Amino acid sequence: MVGRVSSSMDRDGVVEVKKLLHFASLNNVMMSVFGRSYDDFGVDGGDGFELEKLVREGYELLGIFNWSDHFPIISWFDFQGMRKRCKNLVSRVNVFVEEIINEHRERRSEKDGTTAVGDGDFVDVLLDLELEDKFSDGDMIAVLWEMIFRGTDTVAILLEWIMARMVLHPTIQAKAQAEIKNVVGSGRPVSDADLPNLPYLQAIVKETLRVHPPGPLLSWARLAIHDTQVGPHMVPAGTTAMVNMWSITHNDQIWAEPEVFNPDRFMDEEVAIMGSDLRLAPFGAGRRVCPGKAMGFATVQLWLAQLLQNFKWVANESDRGAVDLSECLKMSLEMKKPLVCKAVGL
Ligand code: HEM
């Protein structure tokens, strides 16, 4: 990550933050889920290139306004070509993921059919399940793809928002750098073991999750399968309900000065963000809470610490708009104008 930032500065004089983070995050998730990473994202015909195309096509399809969702009567015609594109994507994902599952099976059959405890990746975990919990191949592909798909852009988007805030608030950036220097020193790279000792860094991540939650509507829509009472409201079975987390985290009845970016509010009060405190539940809560929340939160903190330990992040003065905090809601809440800034070596 640090090396890629330096190369980008040497080559272009600026860093296109989202692009860099997207590939890093895709590789990070691939490592945990499939046990492999790729360095051929830009090479036509390579596995990394195909994977990146599949992920991008999935995000694009989910971001398109589909008229058939709102007027089912026209769905038969598929005039936007959505059904055709989805079918095509599903068959390419099936081929790609099935090949990886088969490679795992072959590797395991050379051993005794299992992996050692603590060894292996998420495919191994699924293959290790006992007979009665075993997944069909179709279900296994769906679970694995969901992890890759949901785990890639959320991390990249959150970190892009954080870096935008670092550029906009140099005093906050300097305070986090001072904390890192104090705890880690400058003789060694920051590691995940340092994270519990970096409370201000953690407060910056929490504050960004509050102001710019990547999943502002959580999983968008839920269907009530029973009549349910929520506070004073009766929600009848069959209702489609949405949770507007963005609105909760910007509500001045809940948060003092909600529009102000102020990590210190999390230094003054311990606020749990993993789903037990509904004032800030950026990973959702309950049965369908994000299964990657611990991994996502830790990854973002570690990468942020590395980026701040090595560079001072400043605006690209040749870009007139500099940092633009306008939002764009696709599958996640993204920056409308991707962040392009400079990283000055420390
Ligand atoms: C900062 C990073 C992340 C954020 C902000 C985030 C946020 C969310 C949110 C809001 C949901 C919906 C929860 C609900 O509807 O109640 C969700 C679901 C999900 N997330 Fe994450 N996530 C992140 C990282 C990850 C990672 C790293 C992975 C996997 C490696 C992952 C995998 C998933 C999956 C599979 C679901 C669907 C769960 C289900 O439908 O039951 N997420 N995430």
Side-chain angles (χ1 to χ4, degrees):
M1 167 85 68
V2 170
R4 279 172 199 240
V5 171
S6 299
S7 318
S8 176
M9 281 303 292
D10 293 345
R11 196 181 51 241
D12 310 320
V14 288
V15 183
E16 285 180 60
V17 176
K18 172 77 188 297
K19 206 164 148 189
L20 194 130
L21 293 172
H22 172 77
F23 291 122
S25 185
L26 186 53
N27 254 341
N28 187 44
V29 173
M30 286 302 291
M31 218 36 218
S32 316
V33 176
F34 289 158
R36 61 156 77 161
S37 63
Y38 297 89
D39 50 15
D40 57 352
F41 290 124
V43 185
D44 198 354
D47 275 359
F49 191 79
E50 171 67 358
L51 170 70
E52 151 64 13
K53 269 199 336 208
L54 296 178
V55 171
R56 197 169 292 278
E57 172 75 349
Y59 286 132
E60 224 177 285
L61 281 169
L62 275 166
I64 293 174
F65 184 87
N66 187 359
W67 286 96
S68 307
D69 289 345
H70 305 275
F71 303 102
I73 197 148
I74 60 171
S75 68
W76 196 80
F77 298 104
D78 192 29
F79 74 93
Q80 286 171 284
M82 297 283 283
R83 202 178 315 136
K84 195 168 160 211
R85 277 176 73 181
C86 286
K87 267 190 171 162
N88 180 277
L89 177 64
V90 169
S91 51
R92 281 163 61 206
V93 166
N94 283 348
V95 170
F96 190 92
V97 181
E98 206 155 26
E99 201 178 302
I100 295 179
I101 297 175
N102 287 338
E103 276 171 23
H104 278 70
R105 285 204 170 108
E106 273 166 36
R107 188 161 25 88
R108 293 155 64 94
S109 69
E110 285 161 16
K111 296 196 211 159
D112 61 351
T114 58
T115 47
V117 178
D119 201 6
D121 47 50
F122 197 67
V123 178
D124 288 310
V125 173
L126 296 186
L127 291 172
D128 276 341
L129 288 176
E130 296 300 330
L131 215 51
E132 62 270 23
D133 295 325
K134 269 221 170 345
F135 281 33
S136 69
D137 275 16
D139 284 350
M140 196 148 51
I141 292 171
V143 168
L144 293 169
W145 187 249
E146 175 98 351
M147 298 294 281
I148 292 164
F149 198 64
R150 302 289 290 257
T152 299
D153 257 24
T154 37
V155 165
I157 287 167
L158 175 59
L159 204 44
E160 186 188 30
W161 281 115
I162 298 177
M163 297 320 292
R165 286 295 182 173
M166 292 301 93
V167 172
L168 277 177
H169 306 281
T171 325
I172 294 176
Q173 181 182 165
K175 194 167 163 185
Q177 278 157 337
E179 182 184 65
I180 296 167
K181 197 161 188 189
N182 202 12
V183 171
V184 183
S186 36
R188 68 174 176 87
V190 60
S191 79
D192 39 14
D194 296 311
L195 297 180
N197 302 319
L198 299 170
Y200 191 69
L201 186 98
Q202 185 177 98
I204 290 175
V205 180
K206 286 184 172 179
E207 179 66 342
T208 313
L209 280 164
R210 185 188 70 77
V211 188
H212 309 289
L217 299 173
L218 303 186
S219 277
W220 290 81
R222 295 272 184 240
L223 184 70
I225 52 172
H226 308 290
D227 289 352
T228 310
Q229 191 74 29
V230 180
H233 307 288
M234 172 60 172
V235 182
T239 307
T240 301
M242 289 170 135
V243 175
N244 191 339
M245 187 43 65
W246 192 99
S247 162
I248 296 171
T249 60
H250 290 76
N251 185 334
D252 62 9
Q253 305 287 303
I254 300 173
W255 297 96
E257 300 187 290
E259 300 309 325
V260 178
F261 185 81
N262 174 21
D264 275 307
R265 67 176 89 231
F266 293 102
M267 301 297 279
D268 302 336
E269 185 193 355
E270 176 58 41
V271 179
I273 60 156
M274 294 299 181
S276 59
D277 185 336
L278 297 182
R279 287 176 300 165
L280 181 57
F283 300 99
R287 267 206 293 197
R288 300 298 294 269
V289 70
C290 171
K293 59 186 180 173
M295 174 179 162
F297 191 47
T299 305
V300 169
Q301 287 179 78
L302 181 62
W303 287 359
L304 173 61
Q306 289 170 344
L307 294 176
L308 292 180
Q309 187 186 33
N310 289 281
F311 305 100
K312 180 177 174 192
W313 295 81
V314 294
N316 175 21
E317 62 283 353
S318 65
D319 179 0
R320 271 180 299 127
V323 179
D324 180 346
L325 291 178
S326 306
E327 299 170 334
C328 172
L329 184 58
K330 295 187 185 166
M331 186 182 151
S332 305
L333 188 68
E334 303 183 14
M335 290 186 78
K336 193 168 178 183
K337 183 172 173 232
L339 177 67
V340 179
C341 60
K342 287 180 183 285
V344 182
L346 288 175

